[in-house]
Amino acid sequence: MTNPQLKPCCAARRTSAGEQAAPAPLSELNVAAKPGASSREGMIYLDGGEFWMGTDDREGFPQDGEGPIRKITLKPFYIDPCAVSNERFEQFVNETGYVTEAERFGWSYVFHLFLDEATARDAVSVPQVPWWKKIDGASWKHPEGPASGITDRMDHPVVHVSWNDAAAYCKWSGKRLPTEAEWEYAARGGLVQKRYPWGDLLKPDGEHRCNIWQGKFPLKNNASDGYIGTAPVMSYQPNGYGLFNVVGNVWEWCADWFSPTFHIDGPRVDPQGPPNGQARVMRGGSYLCHKSYCNRYRVAARSSNTPDSSTGNMGFRCAADAE
Ligand SMILES: [Cu+2]
């Protein structure tokens, strides 16, 4: 089944550049859990119970499957207060020797404004989302290509990580990706049917509460929220449950396969998404989202990408069972 999005998301799929499949078998199954991986230190315990998931917001994208509004019941679970940072991901790589999919493919998608003019001009871009450039050597360690590094942003979210990479990190850390329902429950922070994790106004009292695009997308970002690209994982005020940057900053992978329709008549208790699919759910939007184009920094907004895709605006946070 194809995704009938009318306005494409601000991320890009690896297959758009003509790639078919990963060049080597995934190493996720070879990753072992680290010592002490059962510890839940630093995670947020959430009670679960009933909540209203989805939206019929007229600012939304119904074709993404944001509705219907439905009552969902969840078991208790743990979730991380923030996305996995470069620092944490580096520790994972150092201890396991894991090689990400962007590194194995040899390239990833970089946003055009982060490249010098000649590189941006000569690079392959993605039809429909031409601001994404296929850059050889771009990866989590080199987010804008081989000459770039992350030493000045170790507290920023790791990016250029695929769903498969995220699953491998989760396995090593003794955690898992949140289900889409868990993600939305946690992101709402205890509020009921609000547009954002803090309420219905984007900038209460004129204050920026998340890292999205300001200005004319995709050419001019005035960065009045403080950032053109990623922000540190604990930027801005946390939501009512203590989660940082649930909307904006980077898209976050969820465990579920994506379907725009499966949930309409789907399970209402601990939903896990469809049994199979081609793309995995991403939630939260990114620093590239803007009302004029990809208005997906709303808490009920959804998107998806193939499990081997990676871009400079996609990351993840971990969850865990509460037992
Ligand atoms: Cu977006």
Side-chain angles (χ1 to χ4, degrees), residues 39-304:
S39 166
R40 297 294 167 249
E41 199 188 327
M43 298 189 85
I44 295 168
Y45 175 88
L46 294 175
D47 286 329
E50 289 179 346
F51 83 108
W52 291 101
M53 184 170 177
T55 189
D56 55 10
D57 192 341
R58 63 200 148 72
E59 266 194 19
F61 297 130
Q63 68 276 13
D64 288 349
E66 293 179 0
I69 298 170
R70 57 215 182 265
K71 189 183 269 182
I72 297 291
T73 305
L74 295 178
K75 301 197 281 278
F77 62 101
Y78 287 95
I79 195 157
D80 278 343
C82 48
V84 173
S85 64
N86 282 319
E87 187 179 356
R88 295 211 169 175
F89 199 79
E90 183 179 69
Q91 198 189 350
F92 159 63
V93 167
N94 287 346
E95 287 180 26
T96 59
Y98 184 81
V99 180
T100 62
E101 287 196 282
E103 292 166 290
R104 290 187 296 117
F105 277 102
W107 64 274
S108 190
Y109 286 121
V110 179
F111 186 63
H112 70 133
L113 290 189
F114 302 149
L115 299 164
D116 65 71
E117 237 170 85
T119 309
R121 190 186 55 227
D122 298 342
V124 172
S125 46
V126 183
Q128 292 192 308
V129 285
W131 46 86
W132 286 114
K133 304 293 181 182
K134 180 186 176 187
I135 297 298
D136 289 340
S139 71
W140 73 276
K141 270 188 288 202
H142 304 289
E144 290 83 38
S148 64
I150 53 172
T151 49
D152 60 341
R153 41 188 150 156
M154 294 306 285
D155 59 346
H156 287 223
V158 64
V159 290
H160 297 294
V161 282
S162 67
W163 188 93
N164 295 315
D165 298 334
Y169 176 96
C170 286
K171 192 173 176 200
W172 170 76
S173 61
K175 302 179 185 178
R176 59 174 173 79
L177 286 172
T179 67
E180 184 178 12
E182 288 172 336
W183 190 95
E184 185 171 322
Y185 170 88
R188 288 185 178 280
L191 299 178
V192 180
Q193 284 289 305
K194 297 296 182 189
R195 184 176 281 167
Y196 304 112
W198 54 85
D200 279 330
L201 285 178
L202 180 59
K203 288 193 291 174
D205 302 318
E207 187 194 353
H208 285 283
R209 300 290 293 266
C210 64
N211 176 21
I212 54 175
W213 186 280
Q214 293 90 39
K216 190 138 180 57
F217 185 83
L219 294 175
K220 179 75 190 129
N221 186 343
N222 1 337
S224 55
D225 59 16
Y227 304 93
I228 290 184
T230 54
V233 293
M234 293 177 95
S235 306
Y236 308 101
Q237 292 178 41
N239 75 2
Y241 289 156
L243 278 77
F244 291 86
N245 290 303
V246 277
V247 298
N249 216 20
V250 290
W251 282 103
E252 298 182 8
W253 288 113
C254 291
D256 311 31
W257 288 109
F258 179 84
S259 158
T261 52
F262 177 82
H263 60 280
I264 294 172
D265 302 310
R268 295 294 187 253
V269 178
D270 293 312
Q272 312 283 315
N276 46 51
Q278 271 126 42
R280 297 286 186 175
V281 171
M282 306 189 299
R283 297 296 297 261
S286 84
Y287 59 83
L288 295 182
C289 288
H290 184 257
K291 193 173 176 180
S292 71
Y293 182 75
C294 177
N295 183 356
R296 290 188 178 85
Y297 47 94
R298 294 167 296 102
V299 74
R302 320 174 66 209
S303 193
S304 67

